[in-house]
Amino acid sequence: MAPPRCLCRPLLPVLALALLGLAAAAGPRQTPALELAQELAEELWSAGLPGDLPELEPECRSLLDAFAEGSAALTGCLGRRARPVRLCQGCHGQYRRLLAQYGSIARAVGNSSESHNCAKSILTSDRLQIVVTLSEFFNETWEAANCANCLKNNSEGLSNSTEEFLDLFNKSLTCFEHNLQGQGVDLSPNNYTEVCKNCNETYTKLNDLYNHLQRLNRQGGESAHSAHLCIDVEDAMNITRKLWSRTFNCSLPCSDTVPVIAVSSFILFLPIVFYLSSFLHSKQKKRILILPKRIQSNANLVNIQEKYS
C-alpha cells in the first residue's frame, strides 16, 4: 500500500498557490501567522510544484540556453551601438554565433532516428514560438541595416572598402577636432575658416569614396535594400556632411564648374545669334535693284522709237 504522502503530493501545488494568494492579499500588514503561511507556501512550491514540466532533454536545454545567451549578447551589442550607429562593425561576431546556435537547434528537424527532437520541442511546440520570433527579428534587423554590404563574403570582418572609408572618416573627425583646439566654446562662423581650409582635402576624399561606393552598390545589387550602403557607412557620412555644411558652413568646390559655365554661356548666346541672323536675312530681302543711268536712257530711247514708228 502506497504511503499517504504520495496521495497528497498532487494537492501540493494547489495548497501552495492558496497560501501565496492569502499572503499577497494581506499586503504589508502581515501577521506572524501569514508570514509563516508564506514561508510554508514557498517550501511547498519548491518541493512539489512542477514548474518546468514537461522538462526538456539535457541536450535540448543546453541548446536553448546557448541561444538565450547569444540573443542577450546580440541585443546588448545592438543597443550599445545604436548611436552613433556601429552595428555592422561591432556586432557581426555575435550575429554569426547566434546564427550558428539557431542552426544547431533547427538541424534536428525531421530526424526521427533520435529519441528526442529538439527542433520540435523548442521551435514549434507552442503558438508563440519565442525562439523563431527572436531569430526572425535579428535577421530582419541585420538585413535592414544592409550589413552584408560592409562585410566580407564570410562575414568574418569588414571589407577593404569599408575599412578604407572608416579610416578616412576618422581622419576627417580628427582634422575637425585638431583645427578647433584652443578656440573658445562659443565659436562664431569666422572661427571655422581653418577647418574648411585645412580639412578640405580629407573631406573631399571621403565624399568621393562614398559616392564611388554608392555607384558600385547600385550597379551590382539586386536585393530590396540594394540602393543603400550599410547603415554604419551611411550614418558616418551623414554626420560628416552635417558638420561640414551646417556646423562649419563649409562648401565643397564643384569639379564640373568649367563645363557648366561653358554650356550655360552657349545657351545664353543662342537667342542673340538667332535674332542677329533674322535681322540680316530680312535686310537682304529689302534690297532694291537700281539700274545704271546708261541702261535707263537706252530703254527710254527704245520706247520713243516704238511710239513714232
Side-chain angles (χ1 to χ4, degrees):
M1 182 176 179
R5 185 167 56 88
C6 295
L7 293 176
C8 298
R9 187 173 180 81
L11 298 178
L12 291 178
V14 179
L15 179 59
L17 290 175
L19 292 173
L20 285 174
L22 181 62
R29 297 175 297 176
Q30 293 183 356
T31 62
L34 290 177
E35 292 178 359
L36 180 62
Q38 185 176 4
E39 294 177 359
L40 178 60
E42 292 175 354
E43 293 179 1
L44 291 174
W45 184 279
S46 60
L49 187 63
D52 291 334
L53 294 180
E55 185 62 59
L56 291 173
E57 295 289 339
E59 295 84 355
C60 300
R61 172 60 62 182
S62 177
L63 293 175
L64 182 59
D65 291 342
F67 181 84
E69 293 176 0
S71 300
L74 182 56
T75 301
C77 182
L78 295 176
R80 289 189 299 271
R81 289 165 173 80
R83 189 78 271 165
V85 182
R86 299 295 184 268
L87 306 182
C88 305
Q89 54 187 303
C91 304
H92 62 88
Q94 290 88 333
Y95 178 71
R96 193 172 66 254
R97 283 192 292 272
L98 187 68
L99 287 181
Q101 292 162 353
Y102 183 82
S104 299
I105 297 174
R107 275 195 295 269
V109 175
N111 192 353
S112 57
S113 62
E114 295 183 0
S115 59
H116 59 273
N117 193 332
C118 295
K120 183 178 180 180
S121 301
I122 297 175
L123 302 180
T124 60
S125 61
D126 58 85
R127 177 179 60 83
L128 195 56
Q129 299 180 6
I130 287 292
V131 174
V132 176
T133 302
L134 286 174
S135 178
E136 290 177 351
F137 166 74
F138 289 124
N139 290 333
E140 291 174 359
T141 303
W142 200 256
E143 292 176 3
N146 292 303
C147 290
N149 293 334
C150 283
L151 303 175
K152 298 178 180 178
N153 293 332
N154 52 8
S155 299
E156 292 181 356
L158 297 175
S159 62
N160 295 333
S161 58
T162 304
E163 289 183 349
E164 181 182 0
F165 175 86
L166 293 177
D167 182 62
L168 284 175
F169 170 69
N170 292 330
K171 288 181 179 178
S172 299
L173 295 185
T174 302
C175 184
F176 295 164
E177 183 180 2
H178 176 74
N179 285 274
L180 291 176
Q181 287 180 355
Q183 301 185 22
V185 178
D186 297 330
L187 297 172
S188 63
N190 295 329
N191 293 329
Y192 297 142
T193 307
E194 294 297 322
V195 174
C196 302
K197 181 176 63 176
N198 298 330
C199 303
N200 180 70
E201 182 179 357
T202 306
Y203 176 79
T204 302
K205 290 181 179 179
L206 179 69
N207 191 67
D208 292 343
L209 178 59
Y210 179 80
N211 293 333
H212 175 68
L213 294 177
Q214 269 193 325
R215 287 192 297 268
L216 291 179
N217 191 62
R218 289 171 179 171
Q219 291 173 0
E222 297 181 356
S223 62
H225 304 281
S226 61
H228 299 280
L229 296 172
C230 74
I231 190 63
D232 293 23
V233 172
E234 287 185 342
D235 185 71
M237 195 67 228
N238 288 337
I239 291 174
T240 311
R241 284 176 173 174
K242 288 179 181 178
L243 289 173
W244 182 261
S245 60
R246 297 183 185 180
T247 304
F248 304 134
N249 198 24
C250 302
S251 61
L252 188 64
C254 182
S255 59
D256 299 330
T257 303
V258 175
V260 170
I261 293 176
V263 173
S264 302
S265 302
F266 175 75
I267 294 175
L268 290 176
F269 276 106
L270 281 179
I272 299 175
V273 174
F274 173 75
Y275 285 114
L276 183 60
S277 61
S278 300
F279 175 77
L280 295 176
H281 185 66
S282 61
K283 272 291 187 182
Q284 186 176 5
K285 284 186 175 181
K286 291 180 180 180
R287 287 179 181 176
I288 301 174
L289 182 60
I290 303 175
L291 296 175
K293 292 182 179 181
R294 183 177 297 176
I295 297 177
Q296 288 181 352
S297 61
N298 292 336
N300 293 334
L301 180 60
V302 171
N303 292 332
I304 292 173
Q305 290 176 356
E306 288 178 355
K307 182 177 181 181
Y308 291 100
S309 60

